[in-house]
Amino acid sequence: MTAIPQERRLVTAVPGPKSQELQARRTAAVAGGVGSVLPVFAARAGGGILEDVDGNRLIDFGSGIAVTSVGASAEAVVRRASAQLADFTHTCFMVTPYEGYVEVCERLAELTPGDHAKKSALFNSGAEAVENAVKIARSYTKRQAVVVFDHGYHGRTNLTMALTSKNMPYKNGFGPFAPEIYRVPVAYGYRWPTGPENCGPEASAQVIDQISKQIGADNVAAIIIEPLLGEGGFIEPAKGFLPALAKFAKDNGIVFVADEIQSGFCRTGQWFACEDEGVVPDLITTAKGIAGGLPLAAVTGRAEIMDAAHAGGLGGTYGGNPVACAAALGAIETMRELDLVAKARRIETVMKGRLSALREKYDLIGDVRGRGAMIAIELVKDRETKEPAPEATAALAKACHAAGLLVLTCGTYGNVLRFLPPLVIGEDLLNEGLDIIEQALATV
Ligand code: PLZ
């Protein structure tokens, strides 16, 4: 499927001399506010491998933050996007429409949860999709308040910064933020004071009480939640939490929005993470995995809600760009043909098996969690107090990088090591990556 040999190979230090040279040019020309996890400059990527300009081949456990689920050069994505590129690059859907946009919306209606009538609107980035979900929900409900959660992440634009929980690095110094945003607790089982068994019912009761008493359910336009929280630490809301919120939203005329930008498109071993507890959101935001690496995002939902905004009220010059739509159709075709839902489940079995065994061995690993190919370990200094271990997490990531394994960290406390391999990664590479994590653990 890809020309790049599916083998780890280190020919220089990581980063190597060519990457270091480029990094010096980058430091002089690129704004300091834009960071990089690992200053290794990419030359090509595909399957489970990222090759750098020095010829090193790294095992990819990041997928460009959960984007290249079908690989970074998937055949169907490249073929369809190239063909579209040759036909036309852009017309602007708001000026003269084209079929690819409509076809992506048709696929979204089929693939997202629920068998009600659905419509979609396409955008360029995840943040833009979330912003538009808020516009649509406010327009439909004629209400203003928006409820979001501790540890939630929704983007870096002004409204989505307000929706995002963590100050550093996302918000600090960038205010003032948009009003009418209310934050409530999330069902974080591992850190729930009375234990994970009680977390779902207690957290949902607390949230419902807080919304009712502090905001008033009748004032709430939308409840927005990631069904499996991403940047906040790969937190799976405890069982019962999401269904209870969805029911509360339904009973009170609130639009329930699932932000599946990170968790969607086969990533968690289901097409969408909210399927796990049979939750059918009113609106769902998608991006990342949808288009095999090209910038595309969507809001999909109940036709009557999606149609609430006046004509001309939603859009943008590039939203649903034809090349990105062609890529999305190629990515979706690949997910179906290769059964990437099943692949993600297999990745979970392999990863959780080995990581749980490591948890037995190392007290540093407080929790192993996640679903499908969205798996993480939370690192703690002490299993009793659960004091976060961000330094050890950073050291572990660094050791993995040096050994040729690209891993990412996350979490409000910076103490979560997360694994997001492309779903097409070979099992030998997956195991080799886990070997590297095991060796790195022995050194920190
Ligand atoms: N909603 C659930 O995960 C993007 C961004 C990390 P954009 N997450 C990775 C960073 O440091 O910027 C994300 C997400 C969820 C929204 C977004 C925003 O998507 O495409 O980055 O705008």
Side-chain angles (χ1 to χ4, degrees):
M1 205 181 86
T2 166
I4 305 171
Q6 295 295 297
E7 284 163 12
R8 178 173 65 115
R9 177 178 81 175
L10 293 183
V11 292
T12 70
V14 178
K18 287 186 181 155
S19 276
Q20 289 182 32
E21 226 176 278
L22 283 166
Q23 178 67 5
R25 277 173 55 198
R26 173 242 177 97
T27 306
V30 179
V34 185
S36 292
V37 171
L38 177 61
V40 149
F41 281 72
R44 45 184 199 149
I49 291 286
L50 186 146
E51 189 177 299
D52 73 12
V53 288
D54 289 289
N56 297 302
R57 293 198 190 115
L58 278 62
I59 300 175
D60 182 10
F61 273 16
S63 303
I65 323 190
V67 172
T68 51
S69 298
V70 296
S73 47
E75 188 277 329
V77 172
V78 174
R79 173 171 39 83
R80 284 184 182 242
S82 306
Q84 179 58 50
L85 207 46
D87 285 344
F88 62 92
T89 55
H90 174 82
T91 62
C92 187
F93 194 76
M94 302 184 302
V95 177
T96 50
Y98 37 86
E99 186 178 354
Y101 188 118
V102 178
E103 211 175 324
V104 169
C105 296
E106 289 168 349
R107 291 294 87 78
L108 283 163
E110 287 161 21
L111 294 169
T112 53
D115 48 17
H116 50 277
K118 288 177 218 155
K119 292 193 178 185
S120 293
L122 304 183
F123 305 96
N124 304 297
S125 67
E128 214 188 333
V130 176
E131 291 246 358
N132 279 279
V134 172
K135 282 167 68 173
I136 292 163
R138 283 180 170 157
S139 186
Y140 176 73
T141 58
K142 312 225 168 13
R143 305 172 180 177
Q144 293 186 352
V146 176
V147 173
V148 288
F149 294 83
D150 285 341
H151 311 289
Y153 180 92
H154 301 286
R156 292 174 180 271
T157 58
N158 186 263
L159 177 56
T160 58
M161 272 194 290
L163 300 173
T164 290
S165 162
K166 193 177 178 179
N167 177 48
M168 271 305 264
Y170 306 121
K171 304 164 78 164
N172 195 46
F174 299 146
F177 303 111
E180 285 304 313
I181 310 294
Y182 299 88
R183 191 170 308 284
V184 294
V186 77
Y188 191 167
Y190 177 63
R191 292 189 178 275
W192 196 255
T194 55
E197 340 53 81
N198 301 315
C199 180
E202 285 182 15
S204 54
Q206 196 175 322
V207 166
I208 288 167
D209 184 64
Q210 230 167 289
I211 294 175
S212 309
K213 298 294 179 301
Q214 297 180 16
I215 317 167
D218 290 351
N219 295 317
V220 179
I223 295 175
I224 308 180
I225 188 161
E226 304 159 74
L228 203 164
L229 281 76
E231 305 301 302
F234 281 23
I235 301 162
E236 290 178 84
K239 292 280 174 261
F241 186 69
L242 293 174
L245 295 185
K247 181 178 184 304
F248 174 75
K250 187 163 191 247
D251 292 346
N252 290 281
I254 299 167
V255 176
F256 187 75
V257 184
D259 180 349
E260 294 249 17
I261 285 163
Q262 190 155 161
S263 59
F265 282 100
C266 309
R267 178 53 59 184
T268 64
Q270 285 171 310
W271 274 92
F272 296 96
C274 57
E275 290 167 39
D276 194 53
E277 288 187 273
V279 168
V280 177
D282 298 312
L283 298 182
I284 176 163
T285 55
T286 54
K288 293 192 185 275
I290 190 175
L294 275 85
L296 188 73
V299 183
T300 301
R302 295 186 188 281
E304 67 275 18
I305 302 179
M306 290 301 297
D307 279 339
H310 51 272
L314 308 176
T317 305
Y318 295 115
N321 168 272
V323 181
C325 287
L329 296 171
I332 292 167
E333 175 190 313
T334 307
M335 289 174 199
R336 282 177 157 160
E337 272 176 9
L338 302 182
D339 193 0
L340 293 190
V341 160
K343 277 280 295 172
R345 289 187 186 173
R346 176 67 196 155
I347 291 170
E348 171 177 343
T349 304
V350 172
M351 284 204 147
K352 277 204 166 157
R354 292 202 47 192
L355 294 169
S356 302
L358 289 174
R359 187 180 176 276
E360 298 300 308
K361 202 166 154 195
Y362 294 102
D363 281 350
L364 182 63
I365 304 179
D367 197 21
V368 177
R369 60 175 179 252
R371 296 202 296 271
M374 189 168 177
I375 303 289
I377 52 179
E378 174 160 357
L379 305 183
V380 292
K381 290 181 179 158
D382 179 323
R383 280 203 180 165
E384 286 304 306
T385 64
K386 297 182 180 163
E387 187 191 337
E391 303 84 2
T393 308
L396 205 52
K398 207 175 155 200
C400 290
H401 295 164
L405 174 68
L406 182 50
V407 291
L408 309 174
T409 60
C410 66
T412 300
Y413 315 109
N415 68 327
V416 178
L417 200 63
R418 60 170 152 173
F419 312 118
L420 292 161
L423 306 181
V424 295
I425 194 170
E427 203 156 315
D428 44 349
L429 278 186
L430 186 65
N431 273 303
E432 196 177 336
L434 289 160
D435 292 341
I436 293 172
I437 293 164
E438 184 163 357
Q439 287 151 17
L441 269 165
T443 66
V444 299

